[in-house]
Amino acid sequence: MPPLSLLMRLINVNQMANAFDVSLASIFHHFTSIFIFVSLAHGIVFQPTYLSTTGPSATALLLGNTTNIYLNLRTVSPSNRTGSVDYPSCAPEKTQWVLTKIPVGKTATSVHLRLNRSLRLCSENETDTDCCPKPLCVLETLQLSACVGDAPTTSALIQAKIYTQLLPVNDGSDNKTTIPNLYETFGSCPCDLTFQACDVRCCCDKDCSVEELRLFAFQCLSGPFGGQVSPAADYQCSAQSENSPDWFPFLCVTSPPENNPFLGFFYQGDTITPKSAPSFQRPVSSDLLPVNMYVQGSPMYTSNNQYFTIPQIVLGKCVNGAQVAFLKNFKVRCATLLHSCPTGFPLQTAPNDLRIKLKNGQGGDVMVDVIDEVAPELSEFISSKTSNAVQIDGDRLCENVTLSLDYKLYWDENGITSVILTRTVGTISIFNNVVLTTRYSAAFLNGQVTSEPNSGNPGYQVGRPVIAGNENNDIANTTIIQRNSINLWKPVSDGMCSSADKDPVLFGFNKTSGCLLPVSLQNLTQCNLLRESVRSMQEALLDATLVAKNGRPDAQSMTDWADISFMASNSSTDAEDTAGSCNGIPSHQHIQIWSRITGFVNAVPQRDIIALHIRWKPAFHRSLRSVVAPVLIGQFQECCVVIFSYSPSAWTLDCRGSDIAPCEYPLKTHLFPVTSSVTFMDVPVDTGPPKTRFQITFTEYDCDRNDVCWPELGFPLTRYYTGEPFSQSLAKGLILVFLFIIASVLGTPWRQIRQAWNSF
Amino acid sequence: MAFYEAYSHPALLRYQTSVCTKATLFLLVVLCLTYISPLLVAYRSQGFWIKRATYEEQPVVRFQYQTLLVAATSIRGDFVAWSTFPHLNNMLASNLRIPSVSVREEDQNQDGKLDFLILNLQLPLQPEEQVYSVQLLLTFSYQLFRMSTVVMQSLAYLQHSSPVPGAKLFISGDLKLQQKTPLPHRGVYDIYNMSVIDGSSPFASAYDLENIIGRYRERNLTTVLSCPEPVWIIGPAAGSAFELNVKIRYPVEVISYRPGFWETIKFAWVQYVSVLIIFLWVFERVKRFVFQNQIVSTIPLPMTKPHQS
């Protein structure tokens, strides 16, 4: 510290030494002046020599040669009589502070004080002593002395005024935070503006002498106080004076004097409720408790309150412990790369492990019936070419591998009536890391075990298979219709017809598919044989004569079924087959399904099939559709059976290109496509007469085709306006009309009418 | 001696007629033509009723700290995944790999609305693993206030794959709003204020990306992460961790809405009156000509001193 400033401070302190002063600031000045001399002698000084803290820690620097120096801390209080503080002492005393020394340089030491108690506010009836009984928790003056031997060399004063910490409960997410005391006066004397000088009319200024106070004792300034304003505001009823107007009692305010605009004005300890923001918290995962009754989407439980699990796909990988939800069907395929024979679940399963008891949702249990099947063919499950287990024998042959688990869960209302598990097992050989594709499915079926799945109730549902049927005359001479399905080709791997599967036709989805048939030049010399073989292949897709009109047909009632009309070629034999080409080969089978909305159930339209036409389209035929379409529609309206003929066409080997091998070698094959397709056509319920050309071009009243159509002239008042509800726009429109009427009544036209009226 | 116009004032000429006369009919026809023709002209020249209007607003977006990450670690289809959903993490079992994720949302211009999100994700990898593709799903809460109050939960989905393994993926994109139909001009629009991913569901189908995206894109209001230039840093993962740096800005959006009744009427009125003025002027001339020349017979009153009636 520069000597000059020290001297200045010394003079200041001496000037005010005789003033009546109990404030701590003055105490500090009072004493530093004495100890500065002492400390100067030893070359040791605290910087700063006075500090006040409002928090639980304080830091000061001890400057000078601090070897052989120890620190002593004690609590002091100004004497009531003189207002002065005791002289520093080196006698140890127990305080609630912890003192630490950290050297920061050769001639400086950092001194840290930390409060060694909690700043928590005591709750009511709390017995724990480590808490604050009052909001002002710590109010004390500490004297920090640097001692050599037993003699103090220098000291610092620390004024601690620490309030309790009011931490919000529940990490601040609770909105209810109590604010303890909002009344904070603006210092002990707000009008004391000048340091160490008496302020005029400031009666609480401690710098004023008694003589000075006497001068303005009756004109004291009433300063702003943080809440408790001493003179009541003049709007208060209690402040009624003689000068108040006579209506004052009607308009005055009755409220406690604390409730005024200054409430909380100088309060510094206000609390801010932190906003709850999202963060990386573990979401509260509530385990669903077992319920007595199953509803759609609720998990299913086994009889010992475990989740009922079937392997399912999560993010592209099969997991074993995936739960099954009630009435949620699924069908997954899991690919597993096998290096060795599988041993664990789900590739090796014991029937007893699968034969578990499920809660049936109605208070009882239901047992899973396991039906074992041996996979007739493994190509569906194994993708590797050398998949045939029989050909390779050795130690890498895995027996009884579970290839698929198909659950059928029959439900009724809120419960499960029975569960049938079809387990397909097979023997596979592990050869060069086989990829095994296993299949897991769960299907919830309504009704009895024996009933077949329907495709709608009563109309067809989009996406459900179209039901076909065959008549079966049983012994009692009643006609029972055996259900069947209509199929399209489903090519697998190389797309050959020999390996192709069948895929059922789903209602509402147009589809095309096909397979490839290798045909050699020799085959093309036997056209009749070729035609018949292709036709039999196509016919195999559809082994039915009837199609169900609705999604829930009655097997005994012919009214639910419609005939399938075949539009087969009758002219194939007429065509002349030339060498290397065959005419009239039914290479394309086209299925046309006509459906119509027949009614509504709960405002859901119900679609019925009214006719199904199958057309064998000969190969390479181009102009068929345009010729036939009008005939089709015309005949359809009368009857569902359409006989149809077509011009012959051909399968021909085209040898003009580079690939001339099939033409030269009779047994070399060329691939010809055999295709099938299905088209769903809606029959409009009521088409009405066709539109005239005038109706088509005249769009003045058609708002879909004309932006400035006449119905939208008053757009905000029409149903085309969706910005507001119609009632509101109508009300606002009426307000407008009313305003216009008012304006016109006051305006010219009305005056003219009135004149004319008066002249009668 | 030169003259000048010292003063001028208009004189009022009055023409009288009875009710059932040609003059009355003429007046009615002119009245209709004056007031109805401007409506037809204004309407038939397109754009009379505004049907869609737009406004600008920066949305209030908060990252919801729900994340789903899938990273393919081999060309055979092995992957590691992580999410903030405990049920999904349980199901993932051996495929679960917990990355270190740091997130910061910043309000750059101090206007009280967050401007961008910085997400840094370090995915630890085994020595034989290399990242070929990354799928990341983040959820946001999205709010608009100026016209109708929109509160919704939305998501940003980013996907990048590469035939060569990468060490780092840098994404800097905008969270853009997509709307299929205009918003209402007032009121609360909170039908999409529900979780995009049901984190409390124990079923596998709740975390199926196909399901989540499929259901999400059905909505009228969605957000999409627009990032035309993802930067895929090729190379083995440095420090055996794949790094994903994502910066998503929340830009000012142009939002279209259906104008309210008064707004529609106001713009129509502006157009109507501007056409009406022309018609008023023309037909005023026509009327003056007709009455001055007595084309329809009326009784002209003698010009008198106008007195206050």
Side-chain angles (χ1 to χ4, degrees), chain B residues 64-130:
Chain B
Q64 287 293 298
Y65 289 84
Q66 290 182 328
T67 313
L68 200 159
L69 171 81
V70 184
T73 52
S74 79
I75 46 171
R76 290 189 312 275
D78 298 325
F79 68 95
V80 293
W82 170 76
S83 76
T84 51
F85 309 105
H87 287 297
L88 176 60
N89 288 353
N90 284 344
M91 279 190 273
L92 285 171
S94 63
N95 287 78
L96 180 67
R97 183 77 52 84
I98 297 176
S100 77
V101 186
S102 65
V103 173
R104 174 170 170 73
E105 281 179 294
E106 200 168 303
D107 180 9
Q108 206 170 23
N109 49 9
Q110 302 294 324
D111 62 349
K113 290 179 179 177
L114 295 170
D115 291 316
F116 58 83
L117 162 83
I118 297 172
L119 185 139
N120 182 281
L121 192 145
Q122 307 259 350
L123 182 69
L125 294 173
Q126 289 176 25
E128 67 271 17
E129 287 176 334
Q130 284 177 319

Side-chain angles (χ1 to χ4, degrees), chain A residues 285-295 298-301 305-307 323 359, chain B residues 87 200 202-203:
Chain A
S285 61
S286 56
D287 265 351
L288 302 168
L289 291 171
V291 284
N292 292 329
M293 216 166 61
Y294 289 138
V295 291
S298 69
M300 294 177 62
Y301 295 89
N305 279 342
Q306 298 290 309
Y307 285 122
Q323 299 169 20
K359 290 196 169 209
Chain B
H87 287 297
S200 62
F203 303 114

Side-chain angles (χ1 to χ4, degrees), chain A residues 114-142:
Chain A
R114 192 170 52 79
L115 188 65
N116 191 19
R117 60 169 298 174
S118 93
L119 288 173
R120 184 168 56 83
L121 188 66
C122 294
S123 59
E124 284 181 35
N125 305 327
E126 189 169 325
T127 53
D128 189 8
T129 52
D130 193 20
C131 65
C132 306
K134 282 187 289 186
L136 181 57
C137 191
V138 177
L139 178 65
E140 61 185 5
T141 309
L142 299 162

Side-chain angles (χ1 to χ4, degrees), chain A residues 276-288 297-300 307 312-317 319 321-326 328 337 700 706-717 721-725 728-730 732-736 740 749 751-752 755-757 759-760, chain B residues 14 16-19 27 31 39-40 43-51 62-70 76 79 81-82 84-88 90-95 101-103 105 119 184-186 199-205 207-209 258-262 264-265 269:
Chain A
S276 64
S279 63
F280 279 124
Q281 284 173 345
R282 185 192 164 94
V284 185
S285 61
S286 56
D287 265 351
L288 302 168
S298 69
M300 294 177 62
Y307 285 122
Q312 286 174 57
I313 283 186
V314 173
L315 300 177
K317 187 200 170 221
V319 294
Q323 299 169 20
V324 179
F326 186 61
K328 297 273 168 125
L337 186 67
E700 290 297 300
N706 188 357
D707 186 46
V708 288
C709 62
W710 292 114
E712 280 190 17
L713 180 61
F715 174 68
L717 295 172
Y721 177 62
T722 53
E724 279 185 34
Q728 287 187 23
S729 49
L730 184 68
K732 290 169 182 177
L734 287 179
I735 291 172
L736 265 185
F740 276 111
R751 195 163 44 103
Q752 289 171 336
Q755 279 178 2
W757 186 261
S759 65
F760 273 116
Chain B
R14 292 162 189 269
Q16 276 194 340
T17 183
S18 62
V19 176
L27 275 180
L31 190 74
L39 179 68
L40 301 184
Y43 177 67
R44 295 290 284 190
S45 57
Q46 318 269 351
F48 186 62
W49 302 112
I50 50 165
K51 295 176 180 175
R62 284 307 295 259
F63 180 48
Q64 287 293 298
Y65 289 84
Q66 290 182 328
T67 313
L68 200 159
L69 171 81
V70 184
R76 290 189 312 275
F79 68 95
W82 170 76
T84 51
F85 309 105
H87 287 297
L88 176 60
N90 284 344
M91 279 190 273
L92 285 171
S94 63
N95 287 78
V101 186
S102 65
V103 173
E105 281 179 294
L119 185 139
H185 69 286
R186 59 165 184 191
S200 62
S201 167
F203 303 114
S205 58
Y207 307 101
D208 187 18
L209 285 177
R258 292 236 180 275
F261 180 84
W262 293 118
T264 316
I265 291 287
W269 177 252

Side-chain angles (χ1 to χ4, degrees), chain A residues 639-659:
Chain A
C639 162
C640 301
V641 180
V642 176
I643 311 286
F644 149 75
S645 64
Y646 55 87
S647 56
S649 58
W651 268 4
T652 311
L653 285 181
D654 187 5
C655 298
R656 284 169 295 182
S658 58
D659 187 17

Side-chain angles (χ1 to χ4, degrees), chain B:
Chain B
M1 196 172 174
F3 290 100
Y4 70 101
E5 187 182 296
Y7 180 65
S8 69
H9 70 87
L12 197 63
L13 285 174
R14 292 162 189 269
Y15 301 89
Q16 276 194 340
T17 183
S18 62
V19 176
C20 299
T21 53
K22 277 187 202 165
T24 313
L25 186 68
F26 170 73
L27 275 180
L28 280 175
V29 169
V30 165
L31 190 74
C32 290
L33 286 178
T34 314
Y35 287 98
I36 292 177
S37 325
L39 179 68
L40 301 184
V41 169
Y43 177 67
R44 295 290 284 190
S45 57
Q46 318 269 351
F48 186 62
W49 302 112
I50 50 165
K51 295 176 180 175
R52 175 188 278 242
T54 55
Y55 70 99
E56 263 194 351
E57 183 180 356
Q58 188 184 9
V60 175
V61 184
R62 284 307 295 259
F63 180 48
Q64 287 293 298
Y65 289 84
Q66 290 182 328
T67 313
L68 200 159
L69 171 81
V70 184
T73 52
S74 79
I75 46 171
R76 290 189 312 275
D78 298 325
F79 68 95
V80 293
W82 170 76
S83 76
T84 51
F85 309 105
H87 287 297
L88 176 60
N89 288 353
N90 284 344
M91 279 190 273
L92 285 171
S94 63
N95 287 78
L96 180 67
R97 183 77 52 84
I98 297 176
S100 77
V101 186
S102 65
V103 173
R104 174 170 170 73
E105 281 179 294
E106 200 168 303
D107 180 9
Q108 206 170 23
N109 49 9
Q110 302 294 324
D111 62 349
K113 290 179 179 177
L114 295 170
D115 291 316
F116 58 83
L117 162 83
I118 297 172
L119 185 139
N120 182 281
L121 192 145
Q122 307 259 350
L123 182 69
L125 294 173
Q126 289 176 25
E128 67 271 17
E129 287 176 334
Q130 284 177 319
V131 174
Y132 289 88
S133 110
V134 171
Q135 288 165 296
L136 180 71
L137 199 145
L138 310 168
T139 64
F140 295 89
S141 79
Y142 198 96
Q143 292 172 323
L144 297 169
F145 294 101
R146 289 192 58 173
M147 298 293 287
S148 60
T149 304
V150 175
V151 182
M152 67 167 184
Q153 305 287 317
S154 69
L155 58 82
Y157 177 68
L158 71 90
Q159 174 168 353
H160 189 84
S161 64
S162 164
V164 281
K168 188 176 172 182
L169 174 63
F170 174 70
I171 297 275
S172 177
D174 295 338
L175 192 70
K176 305 287 286 180
L177 184 74
Q178 279 191 342
Q179 49 181 152
K180 293 195 180 87
T181 56
L183 289 174
H185 69 286
R186 59 165 184 191
V188 180
Y189 194 81
D190 61 350
I191 56 170
Y192 301 123
N193 192 14
M194 60 181 108
S195 256
V196 184
I197 307 167
D198 181 12
S200 62
S201 167
F203 303 114
S205 58
Y207 307 101
D208 187 18
L209 285 177
E210 197 182 322
N211 268 345
I212 294 167
I213 300 292
R215 259 186 293 119
Y216 180 67
R217 302 296 336 168
E218 291 287 319
R219 301 178 7 173
N220 174 26
L221 269 188
T222 50
T223 55
V224 65
L225 178 65
S226 145
C227 175
E229 297 105 9
V231 182
W232 181 260
I233 312 280
I234 299 166
S240 71
F242 178 79
E243 197 177 338
L244 180 61
N245 279 323
V246 180
K247 182 174 181 180
I248 298 174
R249 280 174 297 275
Y250 311 143
V252 175
E253 292 286 347
V254 177
I255 298 140
S256 70
Y257 68 98
R258 292 236 180 275
F261 180 84
W262 293 118
E263 190 180 351
T264 316
I265 291 287
K266 182 182 72 177
F267 280 97
W269 177 252
V270 168
Q271 297 172 52
Y272 174 72
V273 168
S274 53
V275 182
L276 177 70
I277 288 171
I278 299 168
F279 277 77
L280 281 177
W281 181 77
V282 168
F283 281 102
E284 195 57 41
R285 287 300 172 101
V286 171
K287 275 196 280 186
R288 179 174 294 191
F289 178 80
V290 167
F291 285 110
Q292 271 180 353
N293 296 300
Q294 288 291 305
I295 293 174
V296 291
S297 53
T298 51
I299 309 160
L301 290 187
M303 195 161 52
T304 55
K305 200 188 251 182
H307 55 102
Q308 311 301 321
S309 57

Side-chain angles (χ1 to χ4, degrees), chain A residues 567 588 590 615-618 620-632 644-647:
Chain A
M567 294 176 285
H588 181 81
H590 184 70
R615 201 165 68 189
W616 288 337
K617 190 177 180 182
F620 303 138
H621 187 80
R622 298 264 155 78
S623 60
L624 182 74
R625 190 182 174 84
S626 60
V627 173
V628 166
V631 180
L632 262 178
F644 149 75
S645 64
Y646 55 87
S647 56

